[in-house]
mmCIF file of all heavy atoms in Angstrom:
data_model
loop_
_atom_site.group_PDB
_atom_site.id
_atom_site.type_symbol
_atom_site.label_atom_id
_atom_site.label_comp_id
_atom_site.label_asym_id
_atom_site.label_seq_id
_atom_site.Cartn_x
_atom_site.Cartn_y
_atom_site.Cartn_z
ATOM 1 N N ASN A 26 -36.621 55.548 -19.559
ATOM 2 C CA ASN A 26 -35.269 56.074 -19.636
ATOM 3 C C ASN A 26 -34.237 54.988 -19.881
ATOM 4 O O ASN A 26 -33.213 54.919 -19.230
ATOM 5 C CB ASN A 26 -34.932 56.834 -18.343
ATOM 6 C CG ASN A 26 -35.848 58.022 -18.142
ATOM 7 O OD1 ASN A 26 -36.209 58.675 -19.105
ATOM 8 N ND2 ASN A 26 -36.213 58.290 -16.895
ATOM 9 N N VAL A 31 -32.085 48.820 -25.506
ATOM 10 C CA VAL A 31 -32.911 48.147 -24.527
ATOM 11 C C VAL A 31 -34.379 48.464 -24.762
ATOM 12 O O VAL A 31 -35.249 47.615 -24.620
ATOM 13 C CB VAL A 31 -32.493 48.561 -23.090
ATOM 14 C CG1 VAL A 31 -33.454 47.989 -22.075
ATOM 15 C CG2 VAL A 31 -31.086 48.078 -22.804
ATOM 16 N N LYS A 37 -42.688 43.852 -22.578
ATOM 17 C CA LYS A 37 -43.975 44.529 -22.400
ATOM 18 C C LYS A 37 -45.109 43.550 -22.105
ATOM 19 O O LYS A 37 -45.981 43.838 -21.294
ATOM 20 C CB LYS A 37 -44.317 45.345 -23.654
ATOM 21 C CG LYS A 37 -43.321 46.446 -23.966
ATOM 22 C CD LYS A 37 -43.693 47.154 -25.264
ATOM 23 C CE LYS A 37 -42.652 48.221 -25.610
ATOM 24 N NZ LYS A 37 -42.969 48.880 -26.908
ATOM 25 N N GLN A 53 -49.604 40.634 -10.541
ATOM 26 C CA GLN A 53 -50.041 41.905 -9.964
ATOM 27 C C GLN A 53 -48.974 42.993 -10.105
ATOM 28 O O GLN A 53 -49.264 44.088 -10.594
ATOM 29 C CB GLN A 53 -50.393 41.735 -8.492
ATOM 30 C CG GLN A 53 -50.811 43.048 -7.815
ATOM 31 C CD GLN A 53 -51.131 42.868 -6.338
ATOM 32 O OE1 GLN A 53 -51.664 41.834 -5.938
ATOM 33 N NE2 GLN A 53 -50.825 43.867 -5.536
ATOM 34 N N LEU A 67 -54.877 25.728 -15.538
ATOM 35 C CA LEU A 67 -55.482 24.551 -16.150
ATOM 36 C C LEU A 67 -56.978 24.695 -16.365
ATOM 37 O O LEU A 67 -57.536 24.144 -17.301
ATOM 38 C CB LEU A 67 -55.202 23.315 -15.278
ATOM 39 C CG LEU A 67 -53.742 22.888 -15.183
ATOM 40 C CD1 LEU A 67 -53.587 21.736 -14.199
ATOM 41 C CD2 LEU A 67 -53.210 22.489 -16.556
ATOM 42 N N VAL A 102 -56.942 50.586 -9.226
ATOM 43 C CA VAL A 102 -57.398 49.195 -9.238
ATOM 44 C C VAL A 102 -57.928 48.816 -10.610
ATOM 45 O O VAL A 102 -57.542 47.785 -11.184
ATOM 46 C CB VAL A 102 -58.469 48.953 -8.158
ATOM 47 C CG1 VAL A 102 -59.057 47.539 -8.299
ATOM 48 C CG2 VAL A 102 -57.884 49.130 -6.757
ATOM 49 N N ALA A 166 -34.050 24.207 -18.306
ATOM 50 C CA ALA A 166 -33.881 24.697 -19.677
ATOM 51 C C ALA A 166 -33.385 23.630 -20.639
ATOM 52 O O ALA A 166 -33.394 23.851 -21.859
ATOM 53 C CB ALA A 166 -32.907 25.874 -19.680
ATOM 54 N N ASP A 173 -30.112 30.316 -24.668
ATOM 55 C CA ASP A 173 -29.573 31.662 -24.506
ATOM 56 C C ASP A 173 -30.634 32.645 -24.022
ATOM 57 O O ASP A 173 -30.317 33.731 -23.538
ATOM 58 C CB ASP A 173 -28.979 32.151 -25.830
ATOM 59 C CG ASP A 173 -30.018 32.226 -26.941
ATOM 60 O OD1 ASP A 173 -30.885 31.319 -27.016
ATOM 61 O OD2 ASP A 173 -29.976 33.187 -27.724
ATOM 62 N N GLU A 197 -25.310 29.504 -20.407
ATOM 63 C CA GLU A 197 -25.820 29.764 -21.755
ATOM 64 C C GLU A 197 -26.643 31.047 -21.851
ATOM 65 O O GLU A 197 -26.921 31.524 -22.956
ATOM 66 C CB GLU A 197 -26.691 28.588 -22.230
ATOM 67 C CG GLU A 197 -25.928 27.312 -22.515
ATOM 68 C CD GLU A 197 -25.638 26.535 -21.250
ATOM 69 O OE1 GLU A 197 -26.292 26.808 -20.220
ATOM 70 O OE2 GLU A 197 -24.753 25.659 -21.276
ATOM 71 N N GLY A 260 -30.383 38.220 19.273
ATOM 72 C CA GLY A 260 -28.934 38.185 19.142
ATOM 73 C C GLY A 260 -28.435 38.513 17.748
ATOM 74 O O GLY A 260 -27.322 39.007 17.583
ATOM 75 N N ASP A 277 -43.180 20.915 4.771
ATOM 76 C CA ASP A 277 -43.109 20.082 3.571
ATOM 77 C C ASP A 277 -42.185 20.706 2.525
ATOM 78 O O ASP A 277 -41.400 20.013 1.873
ATOM 79 C CB ASP A 277 -44.498 19.836 2.989
ATOM 80 C CG ASP A 277 -45.294 21.124 2.758
ATOM 81 O OD1 ASP A 277 -44.977 22.157 3.377
ATOM 82 O OD2 ASP A 277 -46.253 21.075 1.971
ATOM 83 N N HIS A 287 -29.939 16.966 -1.052
ATOM 84 C CA HIS A 287 -29.190 15.818 -0.550
ATOM 85 C C HIS A 287 -29.018 14.759 -1.634
ATOM 86 O O HIS A 287 -27.957 14.126 -1.751
ATOM 87 C CB HIS A 287 -29.908 15.212 0.660
ATOM 88 C CG HIS A 287 -29.228 14.001 1.217
ATOM 89 N ND1 HIS A 287 -27.984 14.051 1.825
ATOM 90 C CD2 HIS A 287 -29.605 12.685 1.246
ATOM 91 C CE1 HIS A 287 -27.635 12.851 2.205
ATOM 92 N NE2 HIS A 287 -28.587 11.993 1.874
#
Side-chain angles (χ1 to χ4, degrees):
N26 298 323
V31 173
K37 298 177 183 177
Q53 178 181 325
L67 294 175
V102 173
D173 61 321
E197 290 81 17
D277 52 339
H287 178 67

